[in-house]
Amino acid sequence: MTVKPSYIYAIGRVEARFPNLAAEKEFAQATGRSDTAGKTDQQTFHAVLSKREHRYLVRQLCWVLTIQGLDAYLLIPRDPADMDLLVEAIRPASSPNDIDVVIGMRGPIAPPEMCNGLMVPIVVFDQIYSFNREALVKAIPKPEKAKAEQFGPAAEELFDRIMQMTDNAGATDDHRALNYLAMRYPGIYAKAAEEFAKDCSLSGVEVRPSPLSGTRKIVDVIFAYTNRNTDYTEKFFVRCDVTEEFPFLVTKLGPYYDR
């Protein structure tokens, strides 16, 4: 019997950690040989790891994806050349608004000796995107009718709602679809701004199996907006295919009618 692969589309923060004392001491020696005057600890850490001659240190470290402050996955690149993506995720100056998106395949739980006793699933990743929230919001095309001062907060609120959905570790089809839309489909943000402008609040986000599902896994992601004065609720949905590692859009955002 073939085991079905378990895909990950997770949004969190990448952190580098020392797996043991020897690796920590070796890093300290490499730092001593580097010019770090005037740099903060974070800038020093980034500068040392970024040097080509210190690539062996990058391979020694544990790379952990934390989600909502909790350790979620240990990251290993499918292609060793993608170690660069991990280094890029360690910013010279970190901010609470930093975001890392990891796409890959979930494997077994890490053995305790792999990362100083940390036992979380290993993810073999194919892609990591690193940016911050401001860059995400700025990159979303603003609808013609929306005012800039309204669109930014609307986009941020919707993004937060998706991130804070229960146990969103990007491992289920539902969460992979939501995280994909949050990163790749500006239509949901445009609709949020439009509905907030009409005095509606975001009253629900739900994912259901699509009636189109057959040989492929397709889900409907439904956004409900309720008018703050009349309590009338309108629903809109977008259809996603989550069969393989990279989700994609099947139909764009449109009205949803409960059957």
Side-chain angles (χ1 to χ4, degrees):
M1 190 179 83
T2 55
V3 179
K4 194 166 58 99
S6 178
Y7 299 116
I8 295 293
Y9 199 118
I11 301 174
R13 295 280 298 276
V14 172
E15 294 179 5
R17 298 183 191 166
F18 295 108
N20 50 52
L21 188 59
E24 192 170 349
K25 295 291 186 188
E26 180 61 29
F27 185 86
Q29 288 185 57
T31 303
R33 297 190 299 268
S34 304
D35 179 15
T36 58
K39 288 186 167 74
T40 65
D41 287 346
Q42 180 69 19
Q43 287 169 334
T44 298
F45 192 61
H46 180 266
V48 172
L49 288 182
S50 297
K51 286 188 175 178
R52 180 57 61 181
E53 63 264 32
H54 294 154
R55 189 46 46 99
Y56 74 100
L57 289 170
V58 176
R59 290 192 292 270
Q60 289 291 320
L61 292 171
C62 297
W63 295 89
V64 181
L65 183 72
T66 67
I67 298 174
Q68 299 289 324
L70 300 174
D71 296 340
Y73 304 115
L74 262 176
L75 305 177
I76 297 175
R78 191 186 300 277
D79 181 343
D82 287 340
M83 279 286 178
D84 287 342
L85 295 174
L86 292 169
V87 176
E88 285 165 17
I90 304 297
R91 287 87 164 168
S94 61
S95 150
N97 290 328
D98 290 339
I99 297 168
D100 299 304
V101 182
V102 175
I103 305 168
M105 198 176 291
R106 190 171 68 167
I109 301 291
E113 63 273 12
M114 190 170 172
C115 188
N116 207 14
L118 180 63
M119 295 175 69
V120 294
I122 294 169
V123 167
V124 178
F125 71 83
D126 286 303
Q127 183 60 282
I128 295 179
Y129 304 106
S130 297
F131 45 87
N132 61 36
R133 284 165 59 107
E134 289 84 1
L136 171 70
V137 172
K138 279 181 185 168
I140 299 167
K142 186 174 69 65
E144 286 177 23
K145 296 176 189 172
K147 293 178 183 171
E149 63 271 19
Q150 292 174 333
F151 182 68
E156 290 207 26
E157 182 164 325
L158 178 56
F159 181 78
D160 284 341
R161 283 287 288 274
I162 291 173
M163 292 307 92
Q164 289 160 9
M165 290 190 73
T166 314
D167 300 327
N168 185 348
T172 65
D173 291 339
D174 293 9
H175 290 153
R176 285 171 58 235
L178 277 168
N179 293 349
Y180 160 74
L181 291 171
M183 291 295 112
R184 290 286 183 228
Y185 185 53
I188 60 171
Y189 297 108
K191 177 53 72 176
E194 187 185 309
E195 292 300 314
F196 290 158
K198 294 195 303 197
D199 205 13
C200 294
S201 61
L202 177 63
S203 51
V205 181
E206 188 186 353
V207 186
R208 297 180 186 172
S210 169
L212 295 184
S213 271
T215 55
R216 299 191 64 81
K217 264 194 256 178
I218 298 172
V219 295
D220 292 345
V221 182
I222 304 156
F223 299 89
Y225 290 93
T226 302
N227 188 284
R228 296 180 184 117
N229 301 309
T230 64
D231 280 345
Y232 175 72
T233 298
E234 267 191 295
K235 292 183 179 180
F236 304 89
F237 82 108
V238 57
R239 197 161 268 160
C240 273
D241 188 312
V242 290
T243 312
E244 284 112 14
E245 182 175 8
F246 295 93
F248 61 89
L249 209 60
V250 177
T251 57
K252 293 180 180 179
L253 196 68
Y256 182 85
Y257 305 104
D258 287 303
R259 290 167 181 80

